Amino acid sequence: MSKEKTKVYLYTRVSTAMQIDGYSLEAQRTRMKAFAEFNDYEIAGEYEDAGKSGKSIEGREEFNQMMEDIKTGKDGVSFVLVFKLSRFGRNAADVLSTLQTMQDFGVNLICVEDGIDSSKDAGKLMISVLSAVAEIERENIRVQTMEGRIQKAREGKWNGGFPPYGYKLVNGMLEINEEEAPAIRTIFEQYVGTDMGANGLAKYLENHGIHKIARHNGKNPLFDAALIRKIIKNPVYCGKIAYGRRKTEKVHGTRNEYKLVEQDDFLVVDGLHEGIVSEELWNKAQVKVAAQAKKYEHVNKAKDTKTHLLSGLVKCPVCGAGMYGNKSIKHKKDGSKYKDFFYYGCKHRTMTRGHKCDYKRQIQEELLDAAVVEVITKLVANPKFAAMMQEKINMKVDTSVIEQEIAALEKQLRQAYGTKKKTLEEIEQLDPDDRHYKRKKGDLDDRLYRMYDKIDDLEQSLIEARAKKQSIEAEKLTGDNIYKVLIYFEKLYGMMDETEQRRFMEILIQEIQIHEERQANGQWLRSITFKLPIIEEDMQISLDNDEHVETVCLLSNTLHNREIYMLK
């Protein structure tokens, strides 16, 4: 029984200039057919675009028809052959996007003259290079867009986006919103005229019933401290237009992650809009901002050197919000400094983002940190622990269910593309002279639009399913690394610096619950919820406090695959 041949498509394209240079359609076709014959490939279809530019795939009818046939699985091809990569396309973004689509349907690209095969490692390198080229193109576009925005800012015009609170957009121009403006005036007047900071102002506005008017881009009815700080620093409120106050910078060591960074030097010009407050009042506010920043830096200059091990992981026993590390200074009776006191406090104990909590307890960091480390240490000290961890590392991750889902979605997508193609053919074959032409055309159009919606839904579901599979595999790898660390926890933890210890706790622990009041044995710790399974049996843990024995109970949580260890 003879082996079935690998099926391929041939794609040729020329512009007039390329024909003159000797790369005619016939020359390309002859070279590719010889390549296919040498490799024993079966040519299942040929597509040809004559006199078409390579700068975009739009307008290339045969190219787009080829892509439709690939998506429907019409001929079951494995490769598309082109003479050179430039014949496939010159726009890097289009090439990358099209390659990804082809590979989603199991089809790769071979560039005969360039020696590129996207199914091989060298081809993967080519795709990486193209990605870099596409990034350069995007950067060029971004620079051009920025130049346009800078020029618009120089002219004092609003640069787009939601108008700042206190303003509305009328024909692209900022105009004062008299419903919102009184709150802005109050913020500046109270900030400059009193000793209140942003947190104090948030309380003042709430106590005086001054609330935000709900917008589609913000539903919180309260002015929180963060928003007040942004308002005070924004020169738009004194009739200025600022550009470049925040710059988007790539996160070091990543490809597509970016962050906003505040800039000290940025463009400020007189705007075409009217200011809500005077320039004099706004300048006074900036003087106070600078003074408070300097004072804050002086008082808390040592704070940044302290890493709070469980910050955010500890949950408030009253409101459930995260508790964060803070510092207070203890003084002797004579007023001299005694020592720094580090503690965890509820983030809502003061007005934050419109929320306030009455839980005022300060949980000593050293005490709670030690209790959590002790629980983990005694868990891993169990004689069976290392064997259990090794067993988990050796377990294979089961992705069969999600792989079946992906295969089913791919099949449905091919069928949907096939139905779409047939519907388009039926529309083309309609007789305009048929007395029922309009009704038939309308019915087919409805079917076509429904099919477009179905294709969109299937493509999105396929993206999500593939992402889910990747996530499952990534979680297994992360979990294995954590298990390896846990096996040698007693030795490794003491060798870590504070930052590494903090990162380890973030990876290992979902949340920590504490008692509302300190217990008779001196402990605050109530339970620890881990992000991944640790052990499968109950254990007795004795914490070092007056021989008091705590019981650690395992609570199953199959939905999130987590374990909760509670101290009773």
Side-chain angles (χ1 to χ4, degrees):
M1 185 175 178
S2 61
K3 183 180 178 181
E4 187 176 349
K5 290 186 176 182
T6 299
K7 295 181 179 180
V8 300
Y9 283 153
L10 303 187
Y11 177 72
T12 51
R13 180 186 66 80
V14 292
S15 62
T16 303
M18 287 303 291
Q19 286 177 335
I20 294 171
D21 289 340
Y23 296 100
S24 66
L25 291 173
E26 190 57 37
Q28 294 179 44
R29 195 181 299 111
T30 299
R31 179 72 177 85
M32 288 190 291
K33 284 185 175 179
F35 181 88
E37 184 178 352
F38 178 81
N39 289 280
D40 201 27
Y41 291 159
E42 178 184 344
I43 299 173
E46 297 184 35
Y47 301 84
E48 171 183 300
D49 281 315
K52 299 292 184 181
S53 169
K55 71 178 183 180
S56 171
I57 62 173
E58 293 181 6
R60 287 200 265 161
E61 295 178 3
E62 285 290 295
F63 184 93
N64 290 321
Q65 181 60 55
M66 178 181 71
M67 292 304 299
E68 287 293 315
D69 292 343
I70 288 172
K71 292 174 182 177
T72 58
K74 176 186 173 186
D75 300 299
V77 298
S78 299
F79 295 98
V80 170
L81 304 188
V82 296
F83 180 61
K84 291 174 70 71
L85 182 60
S86 60
R87 302 301 85 214
F88 190 70
R90 290 184 179 276
N91 182 294
D94 280 349
V95 171
L96 281 170
S97 175
T98 307
L99 269 174
Q100 184 60 58
T101 301
M102 286 170 50
Q103 290 179 328
D104 287 345
F105 289 90
V107 180
N108 277 284
L109 176 69
I110 293 178
C111 307
V112 175
E113 195 71 4
D114 297 326
I116 295 173
D117 181 346
S118 67
S119 69
K120 301 291 189 342
D121 289 339
K124 293 176 182 177
L125 176 61
M126 176 271 295
I127 292 173
S128 297
V129 172
L130 284 175
S131 298
V133 173
E135 191 169 332
I136 292 171
E137 286 189 347
R138 289 195 297 271
E139 179 64 17
N140 289 337
I141 292 170
R142 188 185 70 83
V143 170
Q144 292 170 7
T145 303
M146 281 180 60
E147 288 298 326
R149 289 179 174 174
I150 290 172
Q151 183 56 38
K152 197 172 182 181
R154 287 192 182 111
E155 295 170 1
K157 298 177 181 177
W158 179 244
N159 240 314
F162 293 114
Y165 192 86
Y167 286 98
K168 58 186 176 181
L169 280 178
V170 179
N171 298 323
M173 302 290 289
L174 290 178
E175 288 190 8
I176 295 176
N177 184 330
E178 293 300 343
E179 284 187 286
E180 298 176 348
I184 300 298
R185 295 188 183 102
T186 301
I187 287 172
F188 276 93
E189 289 167 0
Q190 290 297 318
Y191 185 73
V192 171
T194 69
D195 60 356
M196 285 189 292
N199 286 310
L201 260 175
K203 296 176 184 177
Y204 175 88
L205 295 174
E206 182 188 14
N207 293 338
H208 286 76
I210 301 174
H211 296 163
K212 279 171 55 188
I213 297 172
R215 284 184 171 194
H216 53 289
N217 65 322
K219 305 297 183 184
N220 188 349
L222 300 177
F223 287 93
D224 60 63
L227 175 59
I228 289 172
R229 291 188 190 99
K230 289 180 181 178
I231 289 172
I232 291 170
K233 292 179 181 179
N234 197 339
V236 74
Y237 292 111
C238 68
K240 304 285 185 180
I241 288 291
Y243 186 81
R245 295 169 60 209
R246 289 177 294 274
K247 182 180 178 182
T248 302
E249 293 183 359
K250 182 179 285 188
V251 177
H252 184 67
T254 69
R255 166 162 280 187
N256 294 310
E257 291 185 33
Y258 294 86
K259 60 181 179 181
L260 284 175
V261 180
E262 295 282 346
Q263 302 297 303
D264 295 327
D265 187 20
F266 52 87
L267 176 68
V268 180
V269 299
D270 291 330
L272 300 179
H273 64 285
E274 181 184 354
I276 295 177
V277 301
S278 69
E279 189 171 344
E280 181 185 5
L281 183 61
W282 188 84
N283 285 330
K284 288 181 179 179
Q286 305 320 299
V287 171
K288 183 175 178 179
V289 167
Q292 286 193 325
K294 190 171 183 180
K295 179 181 177 182
Y296 180 83
E297 180 184 2
H298 176 71
V299 172
N300 298 285
K301 61 183 178 182
K303 185 174 181 179
D304 292 338
T305 63
K306 169 67 176 176
T307 299
H308 305 281
L309 184 66
L310 308 176
S311 195
L313 299 176
V314 184
K315 303 303 176 183
C316 174
V318 173
C319 72
M323 299 184 73
Y324 290 84
N326 291 278
K327 181 186 79 172
S328 65
I329 300 174
K330 298 293 184 182
H331 294 88
K332 298 179 181 178
K333 292 182 179 180
D334 61 3
S336 60
K337 179 180 174 180
Y338 171 56
K339 67 176 181 177
D340 292 335
F341 176 74
F342 294 98
Y343 66 92
Y344 296 111
C346 178
K347 74 173 183 178
H348 291 322
R349 69 189 185 283
T350 57
M351 181 63 66
T352 306
R353 296 189 178 277
H355 302 285
K356 187 178 180 181
C357 177
D358 293 328
Y359 189 67
K360 303 296 184 182
R361 292 284 186 274
Q362 295 181 345
I363 315 301
Q364 186 178 354
E365 282 192 19
E366 185 179 355
L367 184 64
L368 189 57
D369 292 353
V372 170
V373 172
E374 187 177 352
V375 167
I376 298 172
T377 301
K378 295 198 172 182
L379 281 174
V380 302
N382 183 285
K384 298 180 181 179
F385 187 83
M388 288 189 292
M389 293 302 97
Q390 194 61 52
E391 184 180 344
K392 291 179 185 296
I393 293 170
N394 295 333
M395 287 175 60
K396 299 293 183 183
V397 61
D398 184 9
T399 58
S400 58
V401 175
I402 192 67
E403 286 171 355
Q404 291 173 6
E405 182 182 342
I406 290 171
L409 287 168
E410 289 174 339
K411 181 179 179 180
Q412 292 176 47
L413 192 55
R414 287 194 294 270
Q415 292 173 343
Y417 273 110
T419 303
K420 186 192 82 169
K421 183 180 178 182
K422 290 177 183 177
T423 305
L424 286 169
E425 290 173 350
E426 288 182 47
I427 292 174
E428 291 175 358
Q429 293 169 4
L430 286 175
D431 182 2
D433 296 328
D434 188 333
R435 66 191 183 96
H436 298 304
Y437 173 78
K438 288 186 177 179
R439 293 177 61 183
K440 291 180 179 178
K441 178 71 163 51
D443 290 342
L444 288 172
D445 284 343
D446 288 342
R447 187 198 307 174
L448 184 63
Y449 294 144
R450 288 197 300 272
M451 194 51 56
Y452 277 125
D453 290 338
K454 184 175 182 180
I455 288 172
D456 285 343
D457 291 342
L458 286 170
E459 287 180 337
Q460 184 59 39
S461 297
L462 190 56
I463 290 171
E464 292 172 357
R466 286 173 175 157
K468 186 176 179 181
K469 181 185 175 184
Q470 290 178 354
S471 177
I472 291 171
E473 292 170 341
E475 284 180 6
K476 176 66 168 70
L477 182 60
T478 301
D480 287 351
N481 290 333
I482 295 173
Y483 290 139
K484 290 173 185 176
V485 173
L486 281 172
I487 291 174
Y488 303 103
F489 177 79
E490 288 185 81
K491 294 180 180 179
L492 290 176
Y493 188 78
M495 297 168 60
M496 297 178 184
D497 60 31
E498 287 186 343
T499 302
E500 291 170 336
Q501 290 175 349
R502 163 67 186 173
R503 179 62 184 144
F504 177 74
M505 290 299 181
E506 286 179 321
I507 294 172
L508 180 65
I509 296 175
Q510 181 72 28
E511 64 178 37
I512 297 167
Q513 297 289 344
I514 62 171
H515 296 286
E516 194 169 340
E517 298 290 341
R518 189 172 181 179
Q519 301 301 287
N521 66 335
Q523 287 294 337
W524 288 96
L525 183 61
R526 184 166 66 90
S527 69
I528 303 174
T529 305
F530 293 100
K531 286 184 177 178
L532 70 168
I534 303 298
I535 61 173
E536 286 82 15
E537 60 185 60
D538 291 356
M539 292 178 61
Q540 297 290 320
I541 298 295
S542 175
L543 294 180
D544 298 330
N545 43 59
D546 301 328
E547 299 182 354
H548 183 84
V549 177
E550 308 290 348
T551 304
V552 180
C553 301
L554 169 63
L555 305 181
S556 297
N557 189 331
T558 55
L559 179 62
H560 297 293
N561 199 29
R562 299 188 319 221
E563 291 177 347
I564 304 173
Y565 295 88
M566 300 192 71
L567 300 176
K568 291 184 177 179

